[in-house]
Amino acid sequence: MANEGTTQEPRSLHFIEEIVEADLASGKHGGRVLTRFPPEPNGYLHIGHAKSICLNFGLAKAYGGATNLRFDDTNPVKEDVEYVDSIREDVQWLGFQWKGEYYASDYFQFMYDYAEYLIQQGKAYVCDLSEAEIREYRGNFHVPGKASPTRDRAPEENLDLFRRMRAGAFPDGSRVLRAKIDMQSGNMNLRDPLMYRIRRAHHHRTGDTWCIYPMYDYAHGVSDAIETITHSICTLEFEDHRPLYEWFLEQDVDAKFFRRPLPRQIEFARLNLTYTVMSKRRLLQLVQDGVVRGWDDPRMPTICGLRRRGYTPEAVRSFAEKVGVAKRDMVADVGLLEYCIREDLERRAPRRMAVLHPLKVVITNMAESEAFEVEVANHPDDPAMGTRKLPFTRELFIDQDDFREEAPKKWFRLAPGAEVRLRGAALVTCREVVKDGTGQVVELRCEWDPASRGGNVPDGRKVKGTLHWVSAPHAIKAEVRLYEALFTQEDPMDVPEGQDWKALLNPRSLEILAEARLEPSLADAKPGERYQFERTGYFAVDADGQPGLPVFNRTVGLKDSWAKIEAKQ
RNA sequence: UGGGGAGUAGCCAAGUGGUAAGGCAGCAGGUUUUGAUCCUGCGUACCGAGGGUUCGAAUCCUUCCUCCCCAACCA
């Protein structure tokens, strides 16, 4: 064949890949690529972190490198071991394995030593100003900062003071160590940033051995350099911290502390998703206020929430790949995320019959003794997934959505006098509609065509509609939870003047169906398993289920072109 | 009015001086025992705006506009 080996157009590189390739080509790091994922253990990871994880781990893997997992635990009052375990679990679940597992706190002594070195070089000083005074002296965008009265203190005195700070000689907040850079800088980060503060707090790893803790800007670059990270990838808001990142490392003028070349910080745009919030603060609020049932509520954009919802790591990775990497502030359409999980589950989820809102159907021309079994495929396009048997009996359930007493245009589901196929089983025609006292349709009396067993059309007559169904006496009961977006507004952070952000919450984000009826094979579905309920969507088994009453979470619905047609009518 | 970034179709995003990739969404058809999947086709993107350089500019220069981030002893 002439066209053999159709060359797949290689995806164009994003700017970080270009940087890495350039470094590889120049031999800057001797062919090494070492990235790091540096979460602060003060909350659960969300889909935004997933993008960063996929970037850091994916990049390293693509270029034969590795990635460290480093917990950025420099603020003991906010951090907790509870979070490190969940972070580890989530990264692994996403399918990534880190090379080293480190903690910024592992480097406290090193950082302390380097700080003493900076003091000795006259690059850092102990400042006695109060928190409010420091703020005042720092000035603002329009007013340059002014020097702290202690800015020119002699190195020996600074060293003595700093040692006493560490020894616990001073109360919390009474002094800080500051880098001596430029109080006039237009970049506020350079106006003598704090390096250490006194904080008598119990640290989840170092306990009470320290009463001074380093600040992010100082700790982060130093940690990167210690680990010999080559590319330190972070989000856009750290862009104007980069000069500081570089400054701290470059003060190692004698190269006594860090191996060269030094790591390079690179910033990319963080992920935002329509109809959801991503800030830790808001997420925490949702949990604390009981809007959701916890961090792993399937409506949460957290990794554990997505997992419980039924998302696969493959789908999340695919999403991260599709949204791309650039420097432009971006808001990804949540529809793309949904596309990714459908795409994945479409080929891997076994099909099952499940009736969400049961409506009884009696086959009037069938005796109870005539019940039979039909064999149906577990996947229409994948014979390797096998088949299973479904009991077909005189009494069935179909979904209420599949019957209309007055059929609209283009309706090819059930209606009085209409004929439909019950998937894999038979053709049935609705002969009678039974209502209760309130006019509610409670039962359909239908006739089946015995010649159509298996769902075949015996004479080629037109039967457009195919419905899912279950046998009433065999069906098992289940709880099914349907989810929608947590917010009704595309950008939930854009709260209208004078309104509470909670007014934007979607009151229908969770709908619990307690009366669903499933085919019997689902009786012993295990938590975590994913299925496609034919014609309705993809569902994952929740751990909340009890023996005899499984609970299913709808991961995402199937595309529904009928809904579109009807909406247009 | 300081510093740092960014502006290409509804949402992402390629493009790096030679005449605008791709994905999602949307629309129209086809196949189909899931109105699913799958397949096919469909977009005058005045490349934020104006000026300039050039045979030729989304790409270079220039002026302007808009949006985002920064004044925690948070990360």
Side-chain angles (χ1 to χ4, degrees):
Chain A
M1 205 187 239
N3 218 7
E4 197 182 15
T6 321
T7 45
Q8 181 110 62
E9 187 80 9
R11 180 177 61 75
S12 51
L13 302 179
H14 61 242
F15 79 102
I16 301 180
E17 289 169 328
E18 277 174 358
I19 290 169
V20 171
E21 292 204 356
D23 290 344
L24 251 20
S26 73
K28 180 178 177 188
H29 296 279
R32 275 189 330 122
V33 175
L34 216 214
T35 58
R36 101 267 93 111
F37 175 61
E40 181 185 17
N42 71 341
Y44 285 79
L45 261 26
H46 54 61
I47 182 89
H49 294 108
K51 176 181 176 184
S52 171
I53 291 167
C54 291
L55 213 206
N56 277 293
F57 283 86
L59 200 60
K61 189 183 277 181
Y63 293 101
T67 305
N68 288 339
L69 173 60
R70 182 171 71 236
F71 293 96
D72 215 339
D73 55 352
T74 57
N75 187 1
V77 308
K78 284 191 172 178
E79 296 145 9
D80 198 283
V81 273
E82 172 196 359
Y83 299 115
V84 342
D85 295 335
S86 74
I87 288 168
R88 262 202 221 104
E89 182 185 359
D90 290 346
V91 173
Q92 284 181 147
W93 178 78
L94 273 172
F96 298 108
Q97 195 47 248
W98 49 92
K99 178 157 178 268
E101 176 175 321
Y102 303 115
Y103 295 78
S105 55
D106 294 341
Y107 313 134
F108 280 175
Q109 185 59 50
F110 186 105
M111 290 175 197
Y112 177 84
D113 293 339
Y114 186 50
E116 283 205 350
Y117 173 78
L118 294 184
I119 291 169
Q120 284 161 345
Q121 307 302 307
K123 301 287 178 48
Y125 63 97
V126 172
C127 177
D128 301 348
L129 258 22
S130 71
E131 191 172 342
E133 287 168 329
I134 286 177
R135 192 177 313 123
E136 185 195 326
Y137 275 62
R138 188 154 37 215
N140 58 47
F141 298 152
H142 313 295
V143 179
K146 58 183 181 189
S148 160
T150 61
R151 191 170 199 262
D152 291 316
R153 194 132 63 181
E156 308 75 55
E157 194 185 347
N158 282 317
L159 197 56
D160 173 60
L161 251 13
F162 186 50
R163 287 177 175 163
R164 283 156 63 195
M165 272 172 67
R166 175 193 187 165
F170 310 117
D172 285 12
S174 60
R175 283 179 226 260
V176 294
L177 182 71
R178 291 229 245 170
K180 194 169 173 179
I181 306 181
D182 178 7
M183 288 306 290
Q184 255 76 251
S185 175
N187 182 345
M188 302 295 290
N189 296 117
L190 265 19
R191 317 249 263 226
D192 288 11
L194 274 57
M195 293 172 63
Y196 274 92
R197 73 281 217 187
I198 304 172
R199 189 104 102 202
R200 285 172 177 75
H202 189 81
H203 188 280
H204 72 110
R205 300 204 93 217
T206 60
D208 299 311
T209 63
W210 295 87
C211 66
I212 57 171
Y213 291 95
M215 302 288 290
Y216 167 86
D217 285 306
Y218 176 62
H220 202 88
V222 168
S223 300
D224 284 345
I226 291 171
E227 293 176 20
T228 70
I229 297 299
T230 57
H231 305 268
S232 179
I233 301 168
C234 62
T235 43
L236 254 27
E237 68 270 27
F238 292 102
E239 211 145 18
D240 49 18
H241 289 237
R242 195 188 330 132
L244 187 48
Y245 179 99
E246 289 165 353
W247 188 89
F248 278 125
L249 299 183
E250 284 164 0
Q251 301 319 303
D252 174 32
V253 289
D254 305 316
K256 290 200 301 197
F257 289 84
F258 310 120
R259 172 173 157 181
R260 309 303 151 111
L262 296 168
R264 197 234 270 215
Q265 175 179 304
I266 303 166
E267 313 84 15
F268 72 102
R270 64 168 354 114
L271 173 73
N272 291 292
L273 256 192
T274 55
Y275 298 101
T276 112
V277 292
M278 217 67 95
S279 87
K280 277 182 182 172
R281 193 181 126 252
R282 272 293 158 72
L283 258 16
L284 179 65
Q285 223 169 342
L286 290 169
V287 173
Q288 286 179 340
D289 295 358
V291 172
V292 295
R293 297 178 174 187
W295 287 100
D296 68 342
D297 186 296
R299 291 166 289 180
M300 292 283 275
T302 49
I303 310 250
C304 53
L306 290 167
R307 177 164 62 228
R308 188 170 178 188
R309 175 91 170 236
Y311 273 78
T312 60
E314 289 82 358
V316 176
R317 279 190 252 127
S318 163
F319 174 70
E321 177 76 21
K322 287 186 202 311
V323 292
V325 176
K327 298 194 68 156
R328 194 167 16 154
D329 289 323
M330 56 93 74
V331 185
D333 189 337
V334 71
L336 181 61
L337 215 211
E338 294 178 341
Y339 167 82
C340 290
I341 187 58
R342 282 195 194 102
E343 179 188 45
D344 190 28
L345 259 19
E346 152 61 26
R347 60 187 168 72
R348 67 199 290 182
R351 316 281 123 130
R352 291 292 184 268
M353 295 285 197
V355 171
L356 271 24
H357 300 96
L359 172 58
K360 193 174 182 183
V361 169
V362 176
I363 309 297
T364 53
N365 60 335
M366 181 181 199
E368 267 166 55
S369 60
E370 285 180 74
F372 57 91
E373 279 189 328
V374 293
E375 188 166 13
V376 298
N378 288 326
H379 190 113
D381 308 312
D382 184 4
M385 291 182 79
T387 63
R388 67 192 188 286
K389 292 199 160 91
L390 255 30
F392 186 84
T393 63
R394 182 182 146 83
E395 294 200 358
L396 312 167
F397 287 119
I398 64 166
D399 245 305
Q400 288 169 21
D401 293 347
D402 285 332
F403 173 78
R404 286 281 238 284
E405 199 166 7
E406 303 203 11
K409 271 199 187 66
K410 292 192 184 166
W411 176 263
F412 38 83
R413 277 123 95 149
L414 210 52
E419 181 175 42
V420 298
R421 169 169 31 242
L422 295 182
R423 172 141 235 236
L427 264 31
V428 301
T429 303
C430 178
R431 294 300 180 201
E432 192 185 339
V433 178
V434 182
K435 298 180 182 176
D436 65 11
T438 68
Q440 182 83 28
V441 176
V442 293
E443 180 182 315
L444 264 24
R445 299 183 74 78
C446 303
E447 285 178 5
W448 79 298
D449 177 354
S452 69
R453 197 194 267 221
N456 303 301
V457 185
D459 56 3
R461 80 181 94 110
K462 277 267 185 297
V463 179
K464 267 235 141 188
T466 299
L467 313 185
H468 56 283
W469 57 277
V470 294
S471 161
H474 298 87
I476 59 167
K477 245 174 113 163
E479 176 176 316
V480 173
R481 300 173 181 169
L482 306 182
Y483 303 101
E484 273 178 37
L486 267 174
F487 296 90
T488 53
Q489 186 170 288
E490 200 170 290
D491 177 9
M493 294 304 265
D494 181 26
V495 184
E497 280 265 343
Q499 223 185 67
D500 183 22
W501 67 281
K502 284 194 160 185
L504 302 177
L505 283 167
N506 177 4
R508 288 199 301 256
S509 61
L510 167 64
E511 185 183 357
I512 297 178
L513 309 179
E515 291 298 322
R517 293 293 193 286
L518 319 180
E519 65 169 76
S521 74
L522 254 9
D524 42 30
K526 305 283 181 297
E529 287 179 349
R530 306 178 184 91
Y531 296 95
Q532 183 199 95
F533 288 173
E534 295 223 24
R535 303 208 312 130
T536 61
Y538 295 100
F539 293 79
V541 183
D542 194 276
D544 276 357
Q546 306 290 321
L549 196 122
V551 172
F552 285 82
N553 294 314
R554 182 172 67 188
T555 309
V556 67
L558 255 30
K559 276 183 36 180
D560 187 353
S561 57
W562 164 247
K564 278 185 196 169
I565 292 168
E566 188 170 37
K568 270 189 276 185
Q569 288 180 3

Tab-separated table of all heavy atoms in Angstrom, chain A residues 73 76 103-109 201-213:
chain	number	residue	atom	x	y	z
A	73	ASP	N	6.093	21.743	53.163
A	73	ASP	CA	5.523	21.881	54.513
A	73	ASP	C	6.287	22.872	55.377
A	73	ASP	O	6.893	22.508	56.378
A	73	ASP	CB	5.480	20.508	55.202
A	73	ASP	CG	6.848	19.839	55.224
A	73	ASP	OD1	7.793	20.346	54.593
A	73	ASP	OD2	6.989	18.802	55.903
A	76	PRO	N	3.674	25.059	59.528
A	76	PRO	CA	3.073	24.010	60.365
A	76	PRO	C	1.665	24.301	60.862
A	76	PRO	O	0.916	23.369	61.128
A	76	PRO	CB	4.045	23.905	61.544
A	76	PRO	CG	4.804	25.185	61.536
A	76	PRO	CD	4.902	25.587	60.109
A	103	TYR	N	10.354	16.161	51.720
A	103	TYR	CA	9.601	17.196	52.436
A	103	TYR	C	10.515	18.400	52.546
A	103	TYR	O	11.714	18.240	52.796
A	103	TYR	CB	9.235	16.699	53.837
A	103	TYR	CG	8.281	15.518	53.799
A	103	TYR	CD1	8.745	14.243	53.506
A	103	TYR	CD2	6.924	15.702	54.026
A	103	TYR	CE1	7.870	13.165	53.426
A	103	TYR	CE2	6.044	14.635	53.952
A	103	TYR	CZ	6.521	13.366	53.651
A	103	TYR	OH	5.652	12.311	53.574
A	104	ALA	N	9.964	19.570	52.361
A	104	ALA	CA	10.779	20.764	52.515
A	104	ALA	C	11.388	20.731	53.916
A	104	ALA	O	12.506	21.184	54.137
A	104	ALA	CB	9.926	22.010	52.323
A	105	SER	N	10.637	20.155	54.847
A	105	SER	CA	11.135	20.110	56.227
A	105	SER	C	12.380	19.229	56.370
A	105	SER	O	13.122	19.359	57.340
A	105	SER	CB	10.030	19.634	57.179
A	105	SER	OG	9.501	18.401	56.754
A	106	ASP	N	12.617	18.342	55.388
A	106	ASP	CA	13.852	17.555	55.412
A	106	ASP	C	15.055	18.488	55.318
A	106	ASP	O	16.164	18.130	55.716
A	106	ASP	CB	13.925	16.615	54.196
A	106	ASP	CG	12.854	15.531	54.235
A	106	ASP	OD1	12.304	15.284	55.322
A	106	ASP	OD2	12.580	14.944	53.167
A	107	TYR	N	14.824	19.657	54.734
A	107	TYR	CA	15.937	20.558	54.435
A	107	TYR	C	16.048	21.713	55.413
A	107	TYR	O	16.784	22.663	55.172
A	107	TYR	CB	15.786	21.113	53.011
A	107	TYR	CG	15.461	20.060	51.973
A	107	TYR	CD1	14.456	20.269	51.035
A	107	TYR	CD2	16.167	18.848	51.928
A	107	TYR	CE1	14.158	19.302	50.074
A	107	TYR	CE2	15.865	17.876	50.974
A	107	TYR	CZ	14.854	18.108	50.054
A	107	TYR	OH	14.555	17.159	49.108
A	108	PHE	N	15.299	21.663	56.491
A	108	PHE	CA	15.323	22.791	57.431
A	108	PHE	C	16.732	23.134	57.912
A	108	PHE	O	17.110	24.295	57.993
A	108	PHE	CB	14.411	22.514	58.633
A	108	PHE	CG	12.948	22.768	58.361
A	108	PHE	CD1	11.979	22.457	59.319
A	108	PHE	CD2	12.517	23.329	57.152
A	108	PHE	CE1	10.622	22.692	59.071
A	108	PHE	CE2	11.169	23.562	56.905
A	108	PHE	CZ	10.219	23.247	57.874
A	109	GLN	N	17.501	22.109	58.218
A	109	GLN	CA	18.855	22.395	58.704
A	109	GLN	C	19.707	23.019	57.597
A	109	GLN	O	20.441	23.971	57.825
A	109	GLN	CB	19.523	21.112	59.228
A	109	GLN	CG	20.894	21.341	59.865
A	109	GLN	CD	20.823	22.310	61.064
A	109	GLN	OE1	19.986	22.151	61.965
A	109	GLN	NE2	21.687	23.339	61.072
A	201	ALA	N	5.080	26.389	66.708
A	201	ALA	CA	3.985	25.495	66.311
A	201	ALA	C	4.539	24.093	66.121
A	201	ALA	O	5.684	23.918	65.691
A	201	ALA	CB	3.358	25.985	65.009
A	202	HIS	N	3.715	23.135	66.449
A	202	HIS	CA	4.137	21.748	66.301
A	202	HIS	C	4.071	21.366	64.823
A	202	HIS	O	3.055	21.533	64.172
A	202	HIS	CB	3.214	20.843	67.122
A	202	HIS	CG	3.708	19.437	67.207
A	202	HIS	ND1	4.690	19.046	68.104
A	202	HIS	CD2	3.361	18.329	66.503
A	202	HIS	CE1	4.923	17.751	67.940
A	202	HIS	NE2	4.126	17.290	66.985
A	203	HIS	N	5.193	20.877	64.322
A	203	HIS	CA	5.249	20.514	62.912
A	203	HIS	C	4.973	19.022	62.758
A	203	HIS	O	5.465	18.209	63.535
A	203	HIS	CB	6.626	20.858	62.349
A	203	HIS	CG	6.736	20.700	60.863
A	203	HIS	ND1	6.924	19.473	60.262
A	203	HIS	CD2	6.675	21.614	59.852
A	203	HIS	CE1	6.975	19.642	58.941
A	203	HIS	NE2	6.833	20.928	58.668
A	204	HIS	N	4.215	18.676	61.731
A	204	HIS	CA	3.823	17.269	61.584
A	204	HIS	C	4.979	16.314	61.385
A	204	HIS	O	4.831	15.109	61.539
A	204	HIS	CB	2.796	17.113	60.435
A	204	HIS	CG	3.377	17.276	59.058
A	204	HIS	ND1	3.510	16.240	58.178
A	204	HIS	CD2	3.867	18.358	58.426
A	204	HIS	CE1	4.050	16.677	57.045
A	204	HIS	NE2	4.279	17.967	57.186
A	205	ARG	N	6.153	16.835	61.044
A	205	ARG	CA	7.297	15.943	60.880
A	205	ARG	C	8.438	16.274	61.836
A	205	ARG	O	9.081	15.378	62.365
A	205	ARG	CB	7.853	16.044	59.454
A	205	ARG	CG	6.853	15.684	58.386
A	205	ARG	CD	7.582	15.234	57.152
A	205	ARG	NE	7.739	13.800	57.138
A	205	ARG	CZ	8.812	13.162	56.689
A	205	ARG	NH1	9.843	13.837	56.251
A	205	ARG	NH2	8.857	11.849	56.699
A	206	THR	N	8.707	17.561	61.993
A	206	THR	CA	9.869	17.913	62.818
A	206	THR	C	9.487	18.176	64.267
A	206	THR	O	10.345	18.509	65.084
A	206	THR	CB	10.589	19.160	62.247
A	206	THR	OG1	9.654	20.255	62.247
A	206	THR	CG2	11.061	18.908	60.828
A	207	GLY	N	8.202	18.019	64.550
A	207	GLY	CA	7.762	18.184	65.931
A	207	GLY	C	8.051	19.572	66.469
A	207	GLY	O	7.657	20.563	65.860
A	208	ASP	N	8.774	19.627	67.591
A	208	ASP	CA	9.040	20.928	68.207
A	208	ASP	C	10.510	21.322	68.105
A	208	ASP	O	10.988	22.165	68.848
A	208	ASP	CB	8.625	20.891	69.682
A	208	ASP	CG	7.138	20.606	69.830
A	208	ASP	OD1	6.354	21.278	69.135
A	208	ASP	OD2	6.774	19.687	70.587
A	209	THR	N	11.218	20.696	67.167
A	209	THR	CA	12.646	21.006	67.104
A	209	THR	C	12.923	22.394	66.536
A	209	THR	O	13.995	22.938	66.726
A	209	THR	CB	13.424	19.958	66.285
A	209	THR	OG1	12.944	19.997	64.941
A	209	THR	CG2	13.202	18.576	66.842
A	210	TRP	N	11.945	22.963	65.841
A	210	TRP	CA	12.164	24.305	65.319
A	210	TRP	C	11.093	25.264	65.838
A	210	TRP	O	9.943	24.886	65.984
A	210	TRP	CB	12.104	24.315	63.791
A	210	TRP	CG	13.200	23.533	63.129
A	210	TRP	CD1	13.191	22.210	62.833
A	210	TRP	CD2	14.478	24.034	62.729
A	210	TRP	NE1	14.378	21.831	62.249
A	210	TRP	CE2	15.194	22.946	62.170
A	210	TRP	CE3	15.086	25.299	62.777
A	210	TRP	CZ2	16.499	23.088	61.669
A	210	TRP	CZ3	16.370	25.424	62.276
A	210	TRP	CH2	17.069	24.333	61.730
A	211	CYS	N	11.530	26.496	66.081
A	211	CYS	CA	10.524	27.507	66.396
A	211	CYS	C	10.608	28.631	65.375
A	211	CYS	O	9.916	29.619	65.445
A	211	CYS	CB	10.707	28.053	67.817
A	211	CYS	SG	12.226	28.981	68.041
A	212	ILE	N	11.516	28.439	64.384
A	212	ILE	CA	11.528	29.371	63.253
A	212	ILE	C	11.284	28.533	61.997
A	212	ILE	O	11.744	27.395	61.903
A	212	ILE	CB	12.873	30.125	63.117
A	212	ILE	CG1	14.033	29.143	62.973
A	212	ILE	CG2	13.081	31.062	64.301
A	212	ILE	CD1	15.354	29.808	62.629
A	213	TYR	N	10.498	29.095	61.105
A	213	TYR	CA	10.183	28.368	59.868
A	213	TYR	C	10.443	29.251	58.657
A	213	TYR	O	10.153	30.456	58.683
A	213	TYR	CB	8.717	27.919	59.877
A	213	TYR	CG	8.463	26.838	60.908
A	213	TYR	CD1	7.994	27.153	62.184
A	213	TYR	CD2	8.736	25.495	60.615
A	213	TYR	CE1	7.791	26.168	63.142
A	213	TYR	CE2	8.531	24.498	61.568
A	213	TYR	CZ	8.054	24.844	62.828
A	213	TYR	OH	7.870	23.866	63.774
